[in-house]
Amino acid sequence: MSAENGTARLAVDEGVATLTLNRPERLNAFTRQMHAELREALAVVRRGRDDGSVRALVLTGAGRAFCAGQDLGDRKPAADGSPPDLGASIEENYKPLVLALRGLEMPVIAAVNGVAAGAGASLALACDLVFAARSASFIQAFSKLGLVPDTGGSWILPRLVGSARAMGLALLGERLPATQAAEWGLIWQCVDDDALMPTVREVAIRLASGPTRGYARTKQALWASINNDLETQLDLERDFMRELGRSEDYREGVAAFGEKRAPRFTGH
Ligand code: LHQ
């Protein structure tokens, strides 16, 4: 588990892992150290899924921001003055981060407590469910630096809000308030600032006591549907249903329905 004073803090409680980006003085901007600590924390979360102690993940930011994207001061210019290889940074850090979140076999929830800019916005949108505080906002800051939306941003934006709005967001780089993000369908829900963490916690605990395997396949199926044709998706549903029909949680769900009681899911 990451150190309490690290740049990525991990805490586990009631089956919910909470991963907090922790560089509040730099609005939780990513550094190489933070990426390394995030990788370490996500490995702990994966082990927690294996031993049953973690069944939902919440991602949030310390202080007044969610994440301001790449730390623009973290990269020292090369001694010979040659330009940086941003592609290498994507390959080593950002791409594995998105794939790790997408591959986690549990629901991943973003609690966007403040501004989410650049790769910070993309990180939030890579989560399965996004809640944002009313005062939060999303900024596609890349265009102001002459860059392209990364960390999956160019893939997810048009899929969430359509190409007209995606293009406007990406080219203009204007601040999108959380309320409008919810109206546009960029995120699941916008809640009052004070209600953000209690709401997310309540949802995360509910999900962590649910049929985790079913949730994992549901998230996998929905993300896969974006690229699949109908027949491929029907085949995927068949395969997942075949697997889940043999699960303990399905048996428990059917038994609980018949006995008119609340199910006790174990995630198996
Ligand atoms: C920061 C940052 C920051 C360092 C605030 N870095 N210090 C790029 C390159 C390579 C590979 C991979 O991917 C990427 C993708 C990207 O993420 S590109 C986008 C990078 N991010 C940005 O361009 C956002 C830059 N930040 C801002 O525009 C503003 O800070 C926002 C709009 C987020 C918040 O504005 P304010 O609420 O007015 O806060 P502030 O600007 O005063 O920031 C507070 C402090 O945080 C300040 O430091 P200071 O010493 O003056 O108190 C900022 O310099 C620092 N900070 N973002 N990304």
Side-chain angles (χ1 to χ4, degrees):
M1 183 171 313
S2 315
E4 195 44 38
N5 59 356
T7 62
R9 263 184 1 227
L10 185 66
V12 178
D13 186 27
E14 294 186 76
V16 177
T18 302
L19 184 48
T20 305
L21 306 176
N22 189 36
R23 298 184 69 232
E25 70 292 349
R26 285 286 168 269
L27 307 189
N28 305 317
F30 289 107
T31 56
R32 272 162 299 182
Q33 185 193 346
M34 186 191 274
H35 275 293
E37 291 183 11
L38 284 171
R39 279 193 288 275
E40 197 187 311
L42 290 174
V44 173
V45 171
R46 272 193 299 274
R47 287 200 292 278
R49 172 68 192 111
D50 292 343
D51 69 22
S53 61
V54 180
R55 290 164 63 191
L57 172 66
V58 173
L59 211 57
T60 193
R64 70 180 175 89
F66 177 73
C67 175
Q70 167 66 37
D71 187 312
L72 298 171
D74 190 45
R75 207 168 280 102
K76 291 201 177 61
D80 63 0
S82 59
D85 180 356
L86 300 190
S89 165
I90 301 282
E91 193 63 38
E92 285 159 30
N93 298 313
Y94 291 92
K95 183 178 157 190
L97 175 59
V98 172
L99 294 178
L101 293 174
R102 190 52 57 80
L104 271 187
E105 300 230 322
M106 65 181 76
V108 178
I109 308 169
V112 181
N113 52 304
V115 66
S122 302
L123 174 71
L125 301 179
C127 296
D128 303 314
L129 272 180
V130 187
F131 289 80
R134 206 166 293 284
S135 66
S137 55
F138 297 81
I139 308 176
Q140 298 300 316
F142 312 93
S143 58
K144 294 178 185 161
L145 301 169
L147 298 176
V148 60
D150 69 7
T151 316
S154 68
W155 185 86
I156 196 84
L157 282 172
R159 286 168 167 84
L160 289 174
V161 297
S163 44
R165 283 172 170 167
M167 201 63 90
L169 289 171
L171 290 178
L172 301 175
E174 289 169 6
R175 189 185 286 265
L176 183 74
T179 44
Q180 204 169 353
E183 279 161 25
W184 282 10
L186 187 74
I187 64 171
W188 168 241
Q189 207 177 322
C190 171
V191 298
D192 287 341
D193 288 19
D194 290 351
L196 179 69
M197 292 320 285
T199 303
V200 168
R201 176 126 197 97
E202 193 268 318
V203 169
I205 289 176
R206 178 147 51 95
L207 290 172
S209 55
T212 312
R213 207 159 138 189
Y215 291 154
R217 295 296 168 259
T218 299
K219 107 178 211 185
Q220 226 175 315
L222 290 186
W223 285 122
S225 76
I226 292 175
N227 295 322
N228 284 346
D229 61 26
L230 175 62
E231 193 172 350
T232 309
Q233 195 67 16
L234 287 167
D235 287 348
L236 189 68
E237 290 175 1
R238 175 203 59 213
D239 294 345
F240 285 170
M241 288 300 251
R242 180 170 288 143
E243 175 198 334
L244 295 169
R246 295 171 178 144
S247 71
E248 288 175 25
D249 280 342
Y250 174 62
R251 208 171 339 125
E252 167 62 8
V254 173
F257 177 77
E259 293 161 22
K260 299 192 189 302
R261 61 170 174 81
R264 289 180 294 270
F265 293 119
T266 58
H268 296 297

